[in-house]
Amino acid sequence: MPFLPHTRAEEETMLKTIGVSSVDELFGDIPRELCLDRPLQLPLGLSEKEAWEEVERLAQKNKHTGQYLCFRGAGAYEHYQPKAVKHLLARSEFYTAYTPYQPEISQGTLQAIFEYQTSICELTGMGVANASHYDGATALAEAALMAVEATGRSKIAVSSLVHPEYRETLKTYLFRRGVEIIELPYQEGLTAVDELAGVLTNDVAAVIIQSPNFWGSIEDLAQFAELIHQQGGLLIACCDPLALGVLASPGELGADIAVGEGQSLGLPLSFGGPYLGFMACQEKYVRRLPGRIVGKTVDRLGREGFVLTLQAREQHIRREKAGSNICSNQSLCALAAAIYLALLGPQGLEEVGRQCWQKSHYAKELLAELPGVSLPFAAPFFQEFVVQTAEAPALINQRLWEAGILGGLDLGRYYPELENYLLLCVTEMRTKEEIEQLVEVWGGVSGGKTHF
Amino acid sequence: MVEKLIFEKSVSGRRGHYLPPLDVPACSVQEAIPAKLRRKKTPVLPQLTEVEVVRHYTRLSSLNYGVDTGFYPLGSCTMKYNPKINEDVANLAGFSQIHPDQPAESVQGALELMVKLQQYLAEIAGMDAFTLQPAAGAHGELTGLLLIRAYHAAQGEQQRDKVLIPDSAHGTNPATASLAGCQIIQIPSNGQGEVDLVALKRVVGKDTAALMLTNPNTLGLFETQIAEIAAIVHEAGGLLYYDGANMNAIMGYARPGDMGFDVVHFNLHKTFSTPHGGGGPGSGPVGVKRKLEPFLPKPVIIYDRQKQRYRFDGERPQSIGRVKAFYGNFGVLVKAFTYILMLGGKGLKEASEKAVLNANYLLKLLSQDYEQPFAGLCKHEFIVTPPKTKEGGIRTLDVAKRLLDYGFHPPTVYFPLIVAEALMIEPTETENKSTLDAFAAVMARIAQEAEENPEILHQAPHQTPLSRLDETQAARRPVLRWKAD
Ligand SMILES: Cc1ncc(COP(=O)(O)O)c(C=O)c1O
């Protein structure tokens, strides 16, 4: 059997030492009537070669971004992953370790996470960051619970331009906690700030704004910070850390908690996971921040080192009084992000952001020239933007897909009132030629070159 | 610090990665982004060349200890060997480079893998349906309790908000119950380390939502009265939740579904070898009995027999909703799927058999020098405590730190809470007899050192890059990030 070392002779010696005559005796404590009296109905067990071929067969049934041109984002972004990221993640001292409970033999993970926390604080303009959360959606949901606990209030206001799947996750998390969710309407591609007066009252724990929002537009976070702070509530900003190389940080704009999806920092698309939830907050809320946090300390000889700290917040100490139940997080994904940021540095990150900006704006301008295509919103955007079409989105996307292009997201799926609206994404990955190809196939000028 | 911080190695102007030149007409971002939205203060990020970055992380990695480094008997965590093929399958372009929002017909392989994995897990658990959405064990627990609450609510029994949890339970169980808006009632363990039925009967009732149980429990003991426990809880109208952290003990031998559990989660990063990643990503799929299926998180993934294709199904009016964006930690699912393919039903059973064999063998060896709070055989893990010495006893922490000097990862310490000075040891099935013998020999030697030279234990570790770290100071004066002076 693969991975099992026992020889017959060893097994016999071991049984003898234990003082039993057979392995079955070791399972004698399981009541007879509960024992499974048949073999598990599972595959028979394959050699590595056969397993590889079977799994590869499944992989080959999927179309990957090496085979088509991706113009879709909506919460998962195709960016370039420098080769060194994958190579460093493949160090098995990192990936075969558990959570660093024994700091003396875990300084690698601990220091890398301390550095990751530093980079997240720098990007978000926050005082502290945790070691990671499951993903952007769950980080957002737990940030809302954090705000509820911090303020003792029981309402959360969330922009309708927060990622729809994040809002669904938020709902799932808050429902049984009796927290009321108020959805804020949109206007001109942005959260409608004018309609907040009667909504952001002094029983609202926090307002949640995503920027760039789900439609790609950049929100004026400062305005929301001011409004909610007047009422004694918190601003939770949900952002794309990659955009923070060019956009003002949530901290600068007055956010109290910053969360979001870190997949854009060097993590592959991977069909939606594993990704990286990041969570950061103003220092005064640190004892409510969920999850692992790495801190600096000294050893017995006074040398500096790192440990998991402020554990009195966590489930293994506080049990039912803990603010969160999180135990395992997405540590290796945080490591990937840290490595990505170290490779790019501030200039590289700014340049990626700038290219995303420029290329998406170039695409927008070309598309707007097509008959039947218009730009419904004037708000500044980062790498995603909405176009309105005369033709049905399904038809456009069908045409694109046949030419090897994944087009925009049909916003009608999440916003039934939006008929014929597409959300497009253009990252630094797309070349000028590819953007022009999108426009040509879209406009029906050419069939494009088929990638499949 | 053994290695300087990456920020301290940074030199302004260096760079580790370059982009292709911009090939579209440049518009000035400075002008394009309104001033109030623009970043003013450049973030302080490391500035290094690629080789400097590579050396930094390679050197950091050498300060770590993983399963590939050596024996890692961390109880409750199932630190078995992580087959190398796992890393390669997850990196296949057909998996790692697919967007979560591609047309379903372009991800049929991914969906097929997920549906098959759901079926395999259901068979192993004795459950009817699975969701793969939860990202870790604790996330699975939350999903499970929300399912249970939705089920009760659908029966018109909203009042069921008490969750019964044994005092030996992992911290995530009570924390999860709170997160799900429930109150916790703790059930004491009896003299055998199992759930005390008298105490259980006293507290079950009309307000019981569920009992959460790990079986084998965190003492490594099979709850022999599980059928009765299930009957008591079910008769009172409650449901049973199975924390699958310890599933490695009983695969192919017994199934939570047959024991009476209604909801289970598995930890793919434990039982199914995916690895743990130094703290994640994991994956915590949740399985349910038929009556709870309508409440599973949306969307579910199904095989459409008529159309002969796999697809998402979001038409689930009774669903508890999403617990995460997209569909789960997919890359981790690919690894667990591959592992199950390689072992097959027979191999999984043999893995459990050898995990239990190894644990009992090691327990026998250690019981010569260490105290065994609960006599008898164990399943895949067991608890011992340090021996009494003339000094009055050594602390578990000292034993753990001294093990570092001998090149072993220590067991889980101070858990479960019901045993003072617990050392929780889980060797797993992938360790050979020589390793177990060597570990036992070192443990015996530490017991002897405790008698003869306890100071060497108090001062341990002596051989690691850093000596014992001061956790009290870390918490008292938190330094949680680097700052430029
Ligand atoms: C018994 C038990 N339950 C639950 C958990 C939580 O699992 P995870 O870390 O995957 O969230 C653990 C993990 O240590 C555990 O040992």
Side-chain angles (χ1 to χ4, degrees):
Chain A
M1 207 45 77
F3 319 123
L4 299 182
H6 307 72
T7 65
R8 207 347 99 57
E10 283 173 327
E11 185 175 330
E12 248 141 53
T13 316
M14 291 168 82
L15 288 171
K16 203 138 144 231
T17 305
I18 298 168
V20 293
S21 54
S22 74
V23 171
D24 283 344
E25 258 183 73
L26 299 176
F27 290 86
D29 51 353
I30 305 181
R32 184 90 310 153
E33 64 279 11
L34 296 182
C35 288
L36 187 64
D37 57 3
R38 58 166 177 82
L40 288 170
Q41 308 285 306
L42 291 175
L44 285 178
L46 301 176
S47 66
E48 184 180 289
K49 176 172 179 284
E50 294 163 305
W52 174 257
E53 284 163 1
E54 169 61 10
V55 179
E56 204 178 30
R57 182 187 68 80
L58 292 174
Q60 279 164 0
K61 286 186 173 181
N62 305 321
K63 296 263 178 288
H64 61 79
T65 54
Q67 298 167 319
Y68 70 81
L69 293 178
C70 184
F71 287 93
R72 191 162 300 185
Y77 301 98
E78 192 200 0
H79 293 290
Y80 187 77
Q81 184 194 45
K83 299 296 177 206
V85 177
K86 194 152 61 176
H87 282 271
L88 289 169
L89 289 184
R91 298 284 310 183
S92 71
E93 298 89 337
F94 284 132
Y95 77 74
T96 70
Y98 203 78
T99 304
Y101 293 142
Q102 295 291 339
E104 298 84 358
I105 49 166
S106 310
Q107 286 298 303
T109 297
L110 287 163
Q111 182 168 334
I113 297 301
F114 182 82
E115 293 168 355
Y116 160 83
Q117 289 173 185
T118 303
S119 290
I120 292 295
C121 287
E122 277 297 322
L123 284 178
T124 56
M126 291 285 157
V128 287
N130 76 3
S132 74
H133 207 81
Y134 303 137
D135 73 347
T138 51
L140 181 81
E142 293 230 10
L145 287 172
M146 214 178 132
V148 166
E149 294 296 323
T151 58
R153 301 175 178 188
S154 61
K155 284 186 189 168
I156 290 284
V158 60
S159 163
S160 51
L161 297 182
V162 167
H163 194 300
E165 295 192 359
Y166 289 26
R167 278 181 284 132
E168 284 176 40
T169 306
L170 180 73
K171 242 178 247 168
T172 309
Y173 267 70
L174 296 189
F175 177 56
R176 295 283 166 198
R177 291 286 291 261
V179 179
E180 187 188 332
I181 299 177
I182 307 161
E183 282 217 354
L184 306 176
Y186 59 80
Q187 194 176 29
E188 308 290 337
L190 292 168
T191 310
V193 76
D194 302 341
E195 293 177 42
L196 291 185
V199 181
L200 291 192
T201 44
N202 65 8
D203 53 354
V204 174
V207 59
I208 305 176
I209 305 290
Q210 181 179 332
S211 181
N213 65 30
F214 185 62
W215 296 353
S217 310
I218 303 160
E219 299 270 6
D220 183 359
L221 289 174
Q223 234 178 333
F224 294 97
E226 200 185 321
L227 285 169
I228 188 73
H229 288 159
Q230 278 167 8
Q231 300 295 333
L234 310 186
L235 172 64
I236 299 172
C238 178
C239 40
D240 179 352
L242 186 105
L244 295 176
V246 293
L247 299 184
S249 72
E252 286 173 89
L253 299 172
D256 302 281
I257 305 173
V259 294
E261 178 50 68
Q263 177 267 331
S264 48
L265 302 178
L267 289 166
L269 286 168
S270 221
F271 205 43
Y275 285 0
L276 167 65
F278 72 86
M279 288 189 90
C281 66
Q282 303 284 4
E283 228 161 322
K284 62 180 164 189
Y285 300 115
V286 63
R287 279 168 210 273
R288 297 199 184 275
L289 189 62
R292 311 285 184 197
I293 301 177
V294 175
K296 195 160 90 169
T297 188
V298 291
D299 75 354
R300 279 184 347 95
L301 304 176
R303 295 172 296 193
E304 289 185 332
F306 303 94
V307 292
L308 294 175
T309 194
L310 300 179
Q311 298 191 61
R313 300 163 296 119
E314 293 187 65
Q315 44 78 26
H316 58 290
I317 309 278
R318 275 175 76 80
R319 299 177 76 85
E320 66 269 20
K321 294 193 192 68
S324 168
N325 68 341
I326 189 166
C327 184
S328 294
N329 51 40
Q330 305 276 123
S331 191
L332 201 69
C333 304
L335 177 64
I339 297 170
Y340 177 85
L341 290 170
L343 285 166
L344 269 87
Q347 281 81 30
L349 189 71
E350 201 254 355
E351 193 179 338
V352 175
R354 209 151 19 92
Q355 290 214 4
C356 292
W357 181 286
Q358 312 247 16
K359 292 186 173 197
S360 54
H361 283 73
Y362 180 66
K364 175 204 77 170
E365 273 161 33
L366 293 192
L367 283 174
E369 285 169 15
L370 290 177
V373 176
S374 60
L375 303 169
F377 312 125
F381 64 90
F382 174 62
Q383 63 181 2
E384 288 180 285
F385 57 96
V386 177
V387 299
Q388 196 176 359
T389 61
E391 194 180 357
L395 289 179
I396 298 170
N397 277 342
Q398 182 62 30
R399 186 158 70 246
L400 291 171
W401 188 243
E402 278 162 13
I405 297 172
L406 181 60
L409 174 90
D410 180 351
L411 281 179
R413 189 201 304 171
Y414 297 116
Y415 303 87
E417 69 279 16
L418 296 190
E419 220 178 293
N420 290 8
Y421 286 79
L422 280 164
L423 174 67
L424 283 122
C425 175
V426 187
T427 70
E428 87 283 6
M429 292 296 285
R430 295 287 71 85
T431 64
K432 178 167 180 282
E433 190 192 338
E434 290 165 349
I435 294 168
E436 286 163 1
Q437 196 184 327
L438 165 82
V439 177
E440 278 174 21
V441 179
W442 186 311
V445 179
S446 100
K449 63 169 184 272
T450 305
H451 286 244
F452 304 150
Chain B
M1 245 162 330
V2 186
E3 193 64 29
K4 274 208 288 187
L5 284 172
I6 197 163
F7 296 95
E8 295 165 343
K9 296 177 180 175
S10 170
V11 173
S12 181
R14 286 208 185 121
R15 216 169 133 172
H17 182 72
Y18 292 86
L19 277 70
L22 186 70
D23 59 353
V24 302
C27 56
S28 160
V29 175
Q30 289 300 323
E31 286 161 30
I33 307 183
K36 63 175 176 182
L37 304 179
R38 208 184 303 146
R39 180 147 205 136
K40 279 152 218 102
K41 187 176 161 290
T42 306
V44 180
L45 297 173
Q47 303 187 49
L48 297 96
T49 58
E50 181 174 322
V51 65
E52 291 171 313
V53 173
V54 167
R55 283 196 185 139
H56 179 73
Y57 287 102
T58 301
R59 293 167 73 109
L60 285 188
S61 77
S62 75
L63 301 176
N64 257 20
Y65 186 105
V67 173
D68 284 5
T69 316
F71 187 44
Y72 212 126
L74 191 66
S76 207
C77 302
T78 315
M79 296 298 278
K80 59 172 75 177
Y81 174 65
N82 314 116
K84 293 300 155 195
I85 188 178
N86 287 1
E87 300 307 307
D88 286 0
V89 286
N91 277 330
L92 282 166
F95 294 134
S96 67
Q97 296 179 35
I98 53 177
H99 192 282
D101 197 36
Q102 282 181 217
E105 65 267 20
S106 72
V107 289
Q108 285 294 300
L111 297 181
E112 180 178 339
L113 184 148
M114 292 168 89
V115 167
K116 285 190 167 155
L117 181 59
Q118 287 171 183
Q119 289 165 351
Y120 296 167
L121 296 176
E123 167 66 7
I124 295 165
M127 289 288 159
D128 295 312
F130 255 86
T131 173
L132 305 174
Q133 246 184 59
H139 201 208
E141 291 173 34
L142 175 65
T143 307
L145 282 196
L146 292 176
L147 288 167
I148 288 171
R149 297 208 68 187
Y151 170 81
H152 288 313
Q155 313 296 308
E157 298 205 301
Q158 276 88 345
Q159 84 285 358
R160 293 191 177 271
D161 64 351
K162 302 281 186 297
V163 176
L164 316 181
I165 300 176
D167 55 6
S168 60
H170 192 260
T172 51
N173 293 181
T176 300
S178 287
L179 195 58
C182 294
Q183 267 115 49
I184 285 82
I185 299 179
Q186 189 163 298
I187 313 282
S189 303
N190 64 21
Q192 287 79 52
E194 298 183 26
V195 171
D196 183 335
L197 292 198
V198 181
L200 173 64
K201 282 182 191 149
R202 209 176 299 136
V203 293
V204 288
K206 283 191 174 44
D207 58 357
T208 303
L211 169 74
M212 292 181 94
L213 201 59
T214 316
N215 195 16
N217 64 26
T218 60
L219 300 163
L221 305 173
F222 193 85
E223 294 276 353
T224 53
Q225 309 186 84
I226 181 60
E228 277 170 271
I229 293 171
I232 293 167
V233 174
H234 283 153
E235 263 161 43
L239 298 181
L240 264 82
Y241 184 89
Y242 183 86
D243 176 338
N246 292 345
M247 191 63 200
N248 208 46
I250 56 167
M251 287 186 291
Y253 280 94
R255 310 190 304 169
D258 301 336
M259 297 174 205
F261 287 95
D262 304 286
V263 184
V264 316
H265 88 254
F266 284 154
N267 300 60
L268 300 187
H269 45 296
K270 299 180 180 182
T271 318
F272 297 94
S273 85
T274 65
H276 197 268
S283 174
V286 168
V288 294
K289 289 282 175 64
R290 190 68 70 205
K291 62 185 176 191
L292 285 127
E293 194 181 357
F295 308 101
L296 286 178
K298 293 191 282 198
V300 294
I301 305 165
I302 54 168
Y303 181 65
D304 189 327
R305 279 181 203 290
Q306 257 177 345
K307 295 191 180 138
Q308 298 197 359
R309 58 198 278 278
Y310 295 89
R311 66 176 175 85
F312 291 107
D313 178 8
E315 299 300 311
R316 299 274 162 154
Q318 288 187 290
S319 166
I320 59 164
R322 278 183 175 281
V323 295
K324 183 184 179 305
F326 309 116
Y327 330 111
N329 279 341
F330 177 73
V332 179
L333 305 178
V334 176
K335 297 177 187 187
F337 175 81
T338 307
Y339 179 73
I340 295 174
L341 276 192
M342 281 191 73
L343 267 70
K346 201 158 152 274
L348 290 175
K349 185 169 179 183
E350 198 173 334
S352 285
E353 175 194 313
K354 295 301 189 297
V356 171
L357 175 67
N358 275 359
N360 279 288
Y361 177 68
L362 190 56
L363 170 58
K364 191 72 187 188
L365 298 184
L366 294 187
S367 60
Q368 311 203 334
D369 298 293
Y370 289 75
E371 315 272 339
Q372 190 188 346
F374 298 96
L377 296 170
C378 65
K379 291 265 83 54
H380 67 307
E381 67 187 359
F382 59 88
I383 308 289
V384 291
T385 59
K388 299 277 172 291
T389 61
K390 50 181 184 289
E391 243 197 9
I394 45 166
R395 299 214 57 203
T396 281
L397 187 67
D398 291 343
V399 175
K401 296 303 181 196
R402 187 60 178 147
L403 274 169
L404 299 174
D405 286 334
Y406 290 104
F408 290 113
H409 195 288
T412 291
V413 292
Y414 299 105
F415 173 66
L417 305 179
I418 56 167
V419 178
E421 301 294 325
L423 283 153
M424 184 193 224
I425 303 177
E426 181 180 12
T428 84
E429 71 277 12
T430 56
E431 297 301 329
N432 64 31
K433 180 172 170 295
S434 323
T435 301
L436 304 181
D437 290 339
F439 179 76
V442 160
M443 286 290 280
R445 181 144 170 207
I446 291 175
Q448 200 183 344
E449 287 175 347
E451 200 63 65
E452 292 165 3
N453 183 9
E455 211 34 41
I456 201 167
L457 266 68
H458 300 327
Q459 304 288 328
H462 306 270
Q463 310 290 335
T464 47
L466 292 177
S467 61
R468 208 176 289 196
L469 287 142
D470 186 345
E471 300 195 3
T472 314
Q473 176 178 327
R476 200 168 288 156
R477 270 176 280 131
V479 179
L480 310 177
R481 55 159 299 183
W482 172 84
K483 271 193 188 124
D485 314 311

